[in-house]
Structure formats: structure tokens, C-alpha cells
Amino acid sequence: MALAASTTLAATAQKVTEVFTNEAFIQHVSETVGGELKSFTISGPTTAAFTTQTVRTLPTTRMPDLVQKFVGEWLTVTQDESWSAPALDGSRTNTIKLSVAKAPVDVSAVQKLSVNGESTLVELTGEVKSSVPFLGAKIVSAAEPVIGRALNLQATLAQEWITTHS
């Protein structure tokens, strides 16, 4: 199933990158949804190509019963990101892979940060897959809206973070 989200943030692409890779911000996002940041690592400076890995636990209370039956009350989500170096105009691409422990769901997405004056257009496209025979489509259709809302929440919280932490 396809994921698609976009928003414009009132900050440069470099500032958006710095917020999306700020451990305090990532912890804030995790706690906002009732989860907990377990670990965050970053390799390299955010002014060049770099990678990150975030591991967090998230409650399943807002997820459909089908998901809760498979995974229980908590999910452990590992998010691996591979960021490109900025283009000449500051735009960049982030390839995202999400894996969920105890859940037969994989998410792959591409996040593009496009410069628009002093603002940045953040566009995310991706796909949710499940390897479970017969039930896979139901699992994907239950997981996709939850993942989409989570990605949109990150962008909303990023704008608030930029405004309050400038």
C-alpha cells in the first residue's frame, strides 16, 4: 500500500535536517505518542551524507484490533535513514526503512526536502508491505493509516520545534 504526505516547513532544508536528526526532538516525538526512545545513533555530520538509526517503543492502543492481536500492547520500531549530501540549492533526499519487531510489516519510503525560498517542502512517498499469506493485505491496510499519521505528526511537531527552539 502506498504512503504519501507532504508539508511545507518555514525553515531552510539544513535546519529541517537538523531538527529531524536532533535526539531531543526525536525523543519529543516518541513521547508525544506515548512511546519511548530506546536509542538514537548518527554517523557523520548533517552537512554531508550521513545515516541514522532510531529505536523506539510505541503503544498499540490507537491501532486496529487486528494489529494489537499480532503484536500486543507495545511495538519496537527500528527506523534506519540514509541521507544524501545536500544538492547545490540545499535540497536533499532521505531513504527510510522501518522494521517492526514481532510484526510482519516493513516500510520503505523516500523523503525529499526541496528548497522553496526560506521554506522547505517535505514530501514523503513510500510503501507498506507484509509477508503474511492471506492476512498480509489486511495487516497492511490497518498499518498504513497509522504510519501515515505518525509521519504527518513528525512534520507538525518539527514546525513547532523550529518555532520554539530558534
Side-chain angles (χ1 to χ4, degrees):
M1 183 167 253
L3 293 172
S6 68
T7 191
T8 299
L9 300 177
T12 64
Q14 182 59 35
K15 180 67 175 175
V16 171
T17 301
E18 290 168 5
V19 170
F20 283 173
T21 58
N22 178 298
E23 187 170 358
F25 173 72
I26 294 166
Q27 182 172 347
H28 173 66
V29 172
S30 300
E31 291 171 354
T32 297
V33 296
E36 181 182 352
L37 179 63
K38 294 296 188 181
S39 68
F40 174 74
T41 56
I42 186 167
S43 65
T46 62
T47 55
F50 66 95
T51 61
T52 66
Q53 184 179 71
T54 305
V55 179
R56 57 173 62 106
T57 57
L58 301 171
T60 61
T61 52
R62 295 184 198 157
M63 296 181 184
D65 290 340
L66 177 66
V67 174
Q68 291 180 22
K69 286 179 186 177
F70 267 98
V71 299
E73 293 181 32
W74 294 92
L75 295 174
T76 299
V77 179
T78 301
Q79 183 170 332
D80 292 304
E81 299 185 2
S82 180
W83 289 77
S84 70
L88 291 177
D89 70 350
S91 299
R92 64 191 324 158
T93 302
N94 174 19
T95 303
I96 302 168
K97 299 279 186 198
L98 290 177
S99 57
V100 183
K102 301 188 301 178
V105 174
D106 290 305
V107 179
S108 58
V110 174
Q111 184 178 56
K112 293 181 180 178
L113 278 58
S114 302
V115 174
N116 186 7
E118 286 299 306
S119 296
T120 300
L121 174 62
V122 180
E123 296 176 287
L124 185 123
T125 57
E127 188 172 43
V128 180
K129 292 182 180 179
S130 176
S131 59
V132 175
F134 306 112
L135 287 176
K138 286 184 180 184
I139 293 168
V140 167
S141 101
E144 191 272 340
V146 173
I147 294 165
R149 284 192 303 271
L151 295 170
N152 283 328
L153 176 64
Q154 179 185 16
T156 300
L157 293 175
Q159 187 60 65
E160 291 171 7
W161 189 270
I162 290 165
T163 303
T164 60
H165 290 80
S166 295

